[in-house]
Amino acid sequence: METPIARDLTDEELEARKAAELRGDPFLVFRDGEDAQHIVSLRAGSVTLGRRHEADVSMPWDPEMSRLHAELERRAGEWTICDDGFSQNGTWVNGLRLAGRRRLADGDLLKVGRTLITFHDPTGGGLGPTMVPGELSATPRFSEQQQRILRALCRPLFQDGEGINPATDAEVAAATEIAIEDVAVELDHLGRAFGLDEMPQKDQRAEIALLAMRSGLVSADDGS
């Protein structure tokens, strides 16, 4: 999938992005219906995305975007995105449908309606790093039981249809025949290993699944 950043830029577009990075504030990059680049610096505590002109970031050209589609909010120094039933077509982060709220990391790709938006944080801040393939799989600290739990957690995300959320603790327990109490403990351990211990449990499970897939710990073959 082509992102608003991974493409050839004009000199003017490149200069605009360099200027945004030098300002030091997190920012969004996206293109409108005429393929013009837009850069939005994030300074306020809350920023709404939607098709309405009243939205902080208005995208009236996108017919698949809801009038109020999603909200970005700064919490404890971290930028988060929330789609708590705002939109009809959903909000996607790095290819996974958003359920509730999740923290954003530098380089995350958002899809709202048909519009692709890249979140960029020049400081590289945040507790939830964007892992590169193999970064986690190279470490031996994950036991065989934890790997089984990760595979079961991610399995719904590889399925066709409505596989938009990872498995629940109960579903993981049923699939692995591991006691649900042990599943919960292992997932809590994995959350701390990934630096996600401050996230709400529901959001943490989704983030663990995302990082496991992006790092190569779990693949589509494991989800079949």
Side-chain angles (χ1 to χ4, degrees), residues 5-224:
I5 284 183
R7 59 178 299 172
D8 292 333
L9 303 176
T10 66
D11 291 341
E12 292 79 5
E13 290 172 341
L14 184 58
E15 287 301 318
R17 293 190 186 179
K18 288 181 178 177
E21 291 179 354
L22 288 173
R23 284 193 293 269
D25 296 318
F27 60 91
L28 307 176
V29 180
F30 59 91
R31 293 183 177 273
D32 64 20
E34 297 181 352
D35 202 38
Q37 173 180 269
H38 292 258
I39 295 178
V40 177
S41 293
L42 298 176
R43 297 190 184 96
S46 176
V47 176
T48 54
L49 308 177
R51 203 172 69 247
R52 292 178 63 109
H53 290 289
E54 292 85 352
D56 297 315
V57 180
S58 177
M59 304 179 184
W61 63 83
D62 189 336
E64 294 184 11
M65 187 173 295
S66 298
R67 290 177 295 175
L68 171 60
H69 197 104
E71 180 183 26
L72 284 83
E73 185 177 9
R74 188 176 177 86
R75 291 190 170 190
E78 303 283 347
W79 278 96
T80 66
I81 185 167
C82 176
D83 179 354
D84 195 6
F86 295 146
S87 69
Q88 292 183 346
N89 294 321
T91 299
W92 305 76
V93 181
N94 299 324
L96 295 179
R97 187 163 184 166
L98 178 66
R101 182 182 302 275
R102 72 159 282 187
R103 186 173 58 243
L104 294 175
D106 181 43
D108 279 346
L109 180 64
L110 317 178
K111 183 174 181 288
V112 288
R114 296 178 181 175
T115 303
L116 297 176
I117 305 171
T118 300
F119 173 81
H120 188 61
D121 185 353
T123 68
L127 298 176
T130 300
M131 299 294 183
V132 298
E135 182 173 342
L136 292 177
S137 56
T139 175
R141 67 179 176 221
F142 300 106
S143 67
E144 188 274 337
Q145 176 168 283
Q146 288 172 330
Q147 293 176 38
R148 287 169 57 202
I149 288 171
L150 283 173
R151 289 194 291 270
L153 180 74
C154 297
R155 188 167 295 127
L157 304 177
F158 291 110
Q159 297 173 352
D160 294 332
E162 297 301 317
I164 58 175
N165 294 311
T168 64
D169 290 9
E171 290 168 340
V172 171
T176 59
E177 298 183 348
I178 299 171
I180 188 170
E181 296 84 0
D182 294 335
V183 168
V185 169
E186 292 283 30
L187 285 171
D188 288 342
H189 287 326
L190 288 165
R192 287 194 292 274
F194 292 155
L196 309 173
D197 45 305
E198 295 184 5
M199 294 183 74
Q201 187 181 80
K202 180 181 177 182
D203 295 341
Q204 185 185 106
R205 298 300 194 252
E207 188 78 2
I208 290 171
L210 172 66
L211 293 178
M213 292 188 297
R214 291 175 68 182
S215 67
L217 278 171
V218 177
S219 68
D221 292 338
D222 297 320
S224 59

